[in-house]
Amino acid sequence: RGPGMLLVPALVMLAACAPENPQAASDCGWVLGSGAKKDCMAQVAINTFRTDPIKGIAFTEEEITDTLQRDFVYLQVTMQVDASTNKYCDRIVDAVFKERCTTRVQRPHLNRAEGGGPRN
């Protein structure tokens, strides 16, 4: 085996391991794979909403360019952070995500206390 053989398992591990609690887009910069990177960026957005909703909106609009991914973030923010209002649902373009979002707002018992997200 050559020295390059050791690099392949290391890259596979990096692609599979996104940061647990990313706080900035730079935390996702090294994540390989478009799905893992999108998940990481969505988590940054959700974490940002928890501390500063205005910055959360700005981050989502500027850093998440895929409309469906952005809609998913707004749905998750409504479910996990603030299910008391349609303000994030109103930003959703996709009809299915928008309906899910407004249903969550109309049925707050579907969310855990303290905005912890849906019950399992």
Side-chain angles (χ1 to χ4, degrees), residues 78-80 83 104-105 107-113 115-119:
T78 298
M79 290 171 45
Q80 296 180 27
R104 287 294 177 150
V105 172
R107 300 175 67 196
H109 63 280
L110 296 175
N111 299 303
R112 286 187 187 147
R119 289 186 212 164

Side-chain angles (χ1 to χ4, degrees), residues 13 16 19 30 50-51 60 62 84 94 104 113:
M13 286 181 62
W30 60 272
R50 284 190 173 113
T51 59
T60 302
E62 293 168 14
S84 67
D94 181 79
R104 287 294 177 150

Side-chain angles (χ1 to χ4, degrees), residues 8-105:
V8 173
L11 287 176
V12 170
M13 286 181 62
L14 280 176
C17 299
E20 282 187 37
N21 193 23
Q23 300 297 314
S26 59
D27 293 342
C28 302
W30 60 272
V31 176
L32 301 177
S34 65
K37 188 169 192 123
K38 284 181 179 182
D39 290 347
C40 184
M41 292 294 280
Q43 191 58 53
V44 170
I46 292 165
N47 289 342
T48 304
F49 273 98
R50 284 190 173 113
T51 59
D52 188 337
I54 294 170
K55 286 183 181 178
I57 291 170
F59 177 87
T60 302
E61 295 294 325
E62 293 168 14
E63 299 291 336
I64 300 178
T65 57
D66 180 80
T67 305
L68 196 56
Q69 179 71 15
R70 194 176 319 126
D71 288 352
F72 175 76
V73 167
Y74 286 127
L75 174 61
Q76 291 301 308
V77 166
T78 298
M79 290 171 45
Q80 296 180 27
V81 181
D82 185 3
S84 67
T85 177
N86 277 335
K87 67 182 169 187
Y88 303 120
C89 301
D90 293 343
R91 294 179 167 276
I92 296 175
V93 176
D94 181 79
V96 173
F97 280 161
K98 186 177 269 271
E99 181 179 349
R100 284 184 188 169
C101 189
T102 55
T103 298
R104 287 294 177 150
V105 172

